[in-house]
Amino acid sequence: MTGIINVQNRSKKVTEIDIEGTIGIPEELQFVNKAQKVATYKKFKEQIDRIKSIASSEIVVNIRSTGGNINDAILIHDTLKASGKTIITRCFGYVASAATIIAQAASEGKREISKNALYLIHKSISASEGNSNNLSETIDLLNKTDEQIVEIYAMRSGLPADNFRQLMEYNNGNGLWLNAKETIERGLADTYIETSPIQNIRKKWNELVNLILKTPDDKKSEIVLNTNQILQNLDNDNDKLSQLKEIKSKIKPPETLKKEDPSYDEIIMSENARAYYKDVQQFNK
């Protein structure tokens, strides 16, 4: 998978960053094929500079990556923490190695993980050649890198550093895959990602329908103004949001046909009310 960092301004308050695939490759390989360029610090910093120039107070970082260059990951981590924004990291699918460092850049209590995600930390890996002195220098650098990684995990988790040294040593230094529950228990994430975008849409839609049904017919036109509050939190669901806004723009006071007065025990629902009731039933299936 080609490494991707994608920055999208979802609203004036929220900017989303998607990090997928490989995190960094050697700089000399960046020029072999422009289509294969990946998430290097230089490229990422350009996006961070964009973020600093806008009014977003919150950055959501979606992570789906099996890792890559630890140096680039630490630089991304430090850039996020230095941004002065509220940082939320959300881990999906396989999140491993260097990608787990970026996940630790979240603000306090803001490290989220999908219940279906798998999480891996392990000892750092390198390739080296040369004489014994060269190899000794590589070993020394790897050991220092491991200690830096352990320090980041320990600081964010509040747990002793030895917990993470032992976890990274598992399986001959290749680490151990953790499920979401184990990741939270070991202090590497804070909470589950509880709701999907479609669940959020259903919740907001039901709020809108309930508001309409509770409003007298002669005041339903006022709902057009009141629904702004319901819709403002749906910026991350662009397709569904546009549909709801289109529905919102068409809301008008219902027209009723003249008919004889109903009997005293007859319950009458307007065509408008029946239509919304059917919508509620459909969304709740």
Side-chain angles (χ1 to χ4, degrees):
M1 179 186 297
T2 302
I4 297 171
I5 286 183
N6 182 38
V7 178
Q8 296 187 40
N9 299 325
R10 299 295 188 185
S11 70
K12 290 182 179 179
K13 293 183 179 180
V14 180
T15 297
E16 283 202 24
I17 300 173
D18 298 323
I19 297 180
E20 299 185 345
T22 305
I23 299 170
I25 57 173
E27 192 67 26
E28 61 271 16
L29 299 181
Q30 294 284 318
F31 304 97
V32 175
N33 186 340
K34 291 183 178 180
Q36 294 179 351
K37 287 190 175 183
V38 298
T40 62
Y41 174 66
K42 179 181 178 182
K43 187 176 180 181
F44 184 83
K45 188 176 183 303
E46 291 173 356
Q47 303 289 21
I48 289 296
D49 288 341
R50 277 184 51 210
I51 292 171
K52 290 179 179 179
S53 69
I54 62 177
S56 292
S57 58
E58 182 177 292
I59 301 173
V60 176
V61 186
N62 300 308
I63 304 170
R64 186 172 66 89
S65 168
T66 53
N69 189 303
I70 186 62
N71 182 50
D72 284 359
I74 291 176
L75 289 169
I76 292 171
H77 168 278
D78 291 348
T79 302
L80 284 169
K81 289 188 71 67
S83 69
K85 315 291 185 180
T86 297
I87 308 296
I88 300 171
T89 57
R90 293 176 177 162
C91 295
F92 302 88
Y94 286 178
V95 177
S97 191
T100 68
I101 297 297
I102 299 174
Q104 302 307 311
S107 303
E108 191 67 29
K110 301 292 186 180
R111 296 172 302 167
E112 301 180 4
I113 186 169
S114 165
K115 289 184 178 180
N116 297 316
L118 290 173
Y119 204 93
L120 172 69
I121 69 172
H122 60 79
K123 292 175 71 70
S124 53
I125 301 170
S126 177
S128 181
E129 64 179 21
N131 59 38
S132 59
N133 290 340
N134 299 135
L135 298 178
S136 179
E137 290 174 1
T138 300
I139 292 171
D140 184 55
L141 178 59
L142 287 172
N143 288 334
K144 288 181 178 178
T145 301
D146 287 343
E147 283 304 303
Q148 186 63 44
I149 294 170
V150 164
E151 184 178 333
I152 291 173
Y153 293 144
M155 180 179 63
R156 286 312 313 269
S157 68
L159 298 176
D162 278 343
N163 287 25
F164 301 103
R165 290 192 187 98
Q166 293 172 10
L167 185 58
M168 290 164 63
E169 286 283 358
Y170 188 85
N171 192 22
N172 199 31
N174 292 315
L176 176 69
W177 283 99
L178 306 173
N179 61 31
K181 182 175 182 292
E182 292 167 332
T183 303
I184 292 175
E185 289 173 347
R186 293 180 184 260
L188 297 172
D190 299 307
T191 59
Y192 297 115
I193 301 170
E194 293 290 350
T195 57
S196 66
I198 189 61
Q199 289 172 320
N200 188 43
I201 286 290
R202 285 175 177 170
K203 178 181 176 183
K204 298 301 179 183
W205 175 261
N206 286 337
E207 289 180 16
L208 177 58
V209 171
N210 288 335
L211 178 62
I212 292 170
L213 292 176
K214 291 178 182 179
T215 304
D217 286 350
D218 60 345
K219 294 185 177 180
K220 277 191 167 61
S221 60
E222 297 176 10
I223 295 174
V224 174
L225 299 177
N226 295 335
T227 51
N228 285 331
Q229 185 175 0
I230 294 174
L231 294 174
Q232 66 184 358
N233 294 324
L234 295 176
D235 289 342
N236 293 341
D237 306 307
N238 292 332
D239 292 339
K240 293 294 182 181
L241 176 60
S242 61
Q243 293 177 27
L244 289 183
K245 285 184 175 179
E246 182 179 356
I247 293 171
K248 169 189 165 185
S249 68
K250 295 179 180 179
I251 295 176
K252 299 177 181 178
E255 297 179 3
T256 57
L257 299 175
K258 293 182 180 181
K259 61 178 296 183
E260 295 181 1
D261 291 336
S263 60
Y264 72 92
D265 61 346
E266 184 179 358
I267 299 176
I268 299 297
M269 290 180 66
S270 69
E271 289 294 325
N272 194 50
R274 283 198 292 272
Y276 283 118
Y277 178 80
K278 290 181 179 178
D279 283 341
V280 171
Q281 298 303 310
Q282 179 66 28
F283 269 82
N284 286 330
K285 287 183 178 179

